[in-house]
Amino acid sequence: MVAQFSYMGTKRRLAAQIADIAKPLPTGPFLDLFSGVSAVGMAVSPDRHVWCNDVQHFSNLLTRALYTSSSGYNVPEFAWTQFTSLFIDHRNSLITEFNDLSAAEDNALRGTSAAQIDINAIIVQQTRGRLKSLRDLSLHCLFTTTHAGTYFGFNQSLEIDSIRFAADQTLKMGLIDDETHRWMLVALCRAVSAASNSTGHFAQYLTPKQNNINRVVAKRRRSVWSDWLQYISATEPIGTVEWRSHNQVFRGDANEILQQLLNAPRQPAIIYADPPYTNDQYSRYYHVLENVVCYDYPNVSGKGEYRSDRFVSDFSLSKAVSGAFERLIAGAARLNAALMISYPSNGLMPNSTERILNSLKMHFTMVGDPIVIPHEHSTMGASKGLQKHQVSELIFTAY
């Protein structure tokens, strides 16, 4: 089973159509330049070798696991015994440090009243400010001291930190290899996404109120450990070992990656670009998954507990988007690759259809008429009205 994630802007519903459009284009590697969870790459596989790029560590972790692993998840029995022991011991150590906070949360979650609201305030108060003392004890505590009582419950945060601790320690002890460690983190990202007290992404957590308490309590009652066990046994790479050996994964700004590929021994045959199309920065929606992967105790701010180093894309800045598109199209042309661009009719760049076509005609010999596909876009949690609205997705092709 391929790892599935809910992801803003995913082209999962359009992926098969995009793969069909790519079929008659030149043979060779397909570079998914803004891969995210790589819905289009999966649709192209395994007819072509797939190269993936995204600036986020989470996407890089996922696509490396899917497209470049030599094998799926496989842990010897003795290593698994050590892993579970490390998980249990670490979790118990964190519970000890916070006395009866775990029991207080369990008691609060037995009902569906305002008590749930009160316990979250207690969790936040008692866990914040304990980072240094817990790290001095060599305990993994990023989620316990950053996201407990907000995106996750206290016990869920203990489980997240303890799974990460057990994965890191068994890797350090040489009981598992880098690929197995990677699969463990992919499964942890899935478990974190399933347990998150949010609306399907991480822009903000839901503040417990009487009108949403049933949803919040249901999320809080999920066991991250149980979900992780399910996901770790149900995740596998795409294609054959031989096919995966020819795939590549990059992590960086899309236009910078195109520049770097000029000097690479091999270039892609097709570049597929699905850049951001609103002024919402994607790094605002997936910073919690970045924390799972990087586990680097970042400085955070705001209700969303955002990382201070989160990436800002020019494609989501009204003053920079036109220049970003021009650099993308020119960079793809210099690589002599066919270029496919997905962009909606209502994207951030004004007069986008005319401007993209004009730029393509300046840099490419053959430019096709854009293919128009009816599609639905999310409104990022329905903060501006309906959860979804109808748009026309345009697929531009040039070679």
Side-chain angles (χ1 to χ4, degrees):
M1 174 182 172
V2 173
Q4 295 287 350
F5 287 87
S6 174
Y7 199 79
M8 285 294 178
T10 180
K11 291 297 183 286
R12 188 170 290 131
R13 294 183 180 180
L14 303 181
Q17 293 169 277
I18 294 169
D20 286 340
I21 295 169
K23 283 181 179 178
L25 296 177
T27 59
F30 180 97
L31 171 59
D32 192 350
L33 196 56
F34 300 81
S35 58
V37 292
S38 194
V40 172
M42 292 180 197
V44 170
S45 306
D47 295 336
R48 294 176 182 270
H49 291 117
V50 175
W51 295 4
C52 293
N53 172 68
D54 200 284
V55 74
Q56 297 202 84
H57 292 85
F58 157 68
S59 175
N60 183 263
L61 174 92
L62 175 63
T63 52
R64 281 189 182 279
L66 293 176
Y67 294 113
T68 70
S69 297
S70 60
S71 65
Y73 170 77
N74 184 25
V75 176
E77 184 176 349
F78 68 88
W80 179 248
T81 299
Q82 184 64 38
F83 180 94
T84 53
S85 177
L86 287 164
F87 167 81
I88 293 169
D89 290 346
H90 184 272
R91 183 179 181 279
N92 289 341
S93 295
L94 284 174
I95 291 175
T96 299
E97 289 299 313
F98 288 99
N99 299 316
D100 59 352
L101 193 55
S102 175
E105 182 183 65
D106 287 340
N107 182 62
L109 293 179
R110 290 193 181 99
T112 54
S113 68
Q116 283 75 30
I117 302 174
D118 295 336
I119 192 62
N120 280 276
I122 295 171
I123 289 169
V124 171
Q125 181 181 9
Q126 292 196 22
T127 56
R128 301 301 193 266
R130 293 291 308 278
L131 175 62
K132 184 180 185 305
S133 61
L134 293 173
R135 293 195 71 183
D136 286 346
L137 295 171
S138 299
L139 294 174
H140 278 34
C141 56
L142 191 161
F143 278 76
T144 303
T145 57
T146 304
H147 299 309
T150 56
Y151 289 100
F152 310 99
F154 176 70
N155 288 303
Q156 290 174 326
S157 299
L158 299 187
E159 291 181 336
I160 296 168
D161 286 329
S162 298
I163 291 170
R164 182 64 204 248
F165 174 82
D168 291 352
Q169 288 300 111
T170 48
L171 176 65
K172 184 178 180 180
M173 296 163 66
L175 299 177
I176 62 172
D177 58 18
D178 288 332
E179 284 194 0
T180 298
H181 184 265
R182 185 186 301 145
W183 285 118
M184 287 179 170
L185 296 193
V186 169
L188 184 55
C189 286
R190 289 191 70 192
V192 162
S193 296
S196 174
N197 173 38
S198 57
T199 58
H201 54 71
F202 300 96
Q204 288 186 356
Y205 57 87
L206 294 175
T207 300
K209 298 177 182 178
Q210 211 58 52
N211 64 351
N212 68 8
I213 198 66
N214 289 332
R215 177 174 180 167
V216 173
V217 170
K219 285 286 188 177
R220 287 284 192 265
R221 286 174 176 168
R222 290 189 76 118
S223 166
V224 174
W225 171 251
S226 296
D227 284 342
W228 182 82
L229 289 175
Q230 174 188 345
Y231 295 138
I232 195 62
S233 62
T235 309
E236 60 187 13
I238 296 172
T240 65
V241 175
E242 196 281 330
W243 178 79
R244 292 195 298 271
S245 69
H246 297 283
N247 297 330
Q248 296 188 52
V249 175
F250 311 94
R251 190 187 70 81
D253 173 82
N255 286 326
E256 292 178 4
I257 292 296
L258 293 180
Q259 183 66 31
Q260 293 172 22
L261 284 172
L262 282 171
N263 300 316
R266 191 182 182 199
Q267 278 81 34
I270 302 174
I271 297 168
Y272 171 67
D274 175 29
Y277 52 85
T278 74
N279 59 4
D280 294 295
Q281 294 288 341
Y282 271 56
S283 57
R284 177 174 175 243
Y285 295 95
Y286 296 99
H287 59 290
V288 174
L289 297 182
E290 292 292 275
N291 290 346
V292 174
V293 178
C294 299
Y295 213 84
D296 52 358
Y297 298 92
N299 293 321
V300 300
S301 62
K303 179 181 177 180
E305 299 166 345
Y306 305 123
R307 297 175 62 96
S308 60
D309 62 350
R310 62 191 182 95
F311 178 73
V312 175
S313 172
D314 284 348
F315 288 95
S316 292
L317 299 174
S318 57
K319 293 182 179 179
V321 61
S322 297
F325 261 107
E326 178 59 30
R327 291 193 299 277
L328 186 153
I329 293 169
R334 285 194 293 270
L335 289 170
N336 293 316
L339 176 61
M340 299 175 63
I341 297 176
S342 288
Y343 204 69
S345 56
N346 63 340
L348 179 65
M349 186 168 73
N351 303 316
S352 58
T353 301
E354 179 183 357
R355 295 170 74 175
I356 291 173
L357 281 173
N358 288 341
S359 184
L360 289 172
K361 290 174 181 177
M362 286 179 59
H363 295 281
F364 288 86
T365 304
M366 303 295 293
V367 178
D369 292 331
I371 298 170
V372 181
I373 304 176
H375 188 43
E376 285 186 337
H377 278 175
S378 169
T379 58
M380 309 298 181
S383 61
K384 302 171 185 177
L386 298 175
Q387 287 187 332
K388 296 182 182 296
H389 60 265
Q390 297 292 325
V391 301
S392 293
E393 188 80 15
L394 279 71
I395 311 297
F396 301 85
T397 57
Y399 55 96

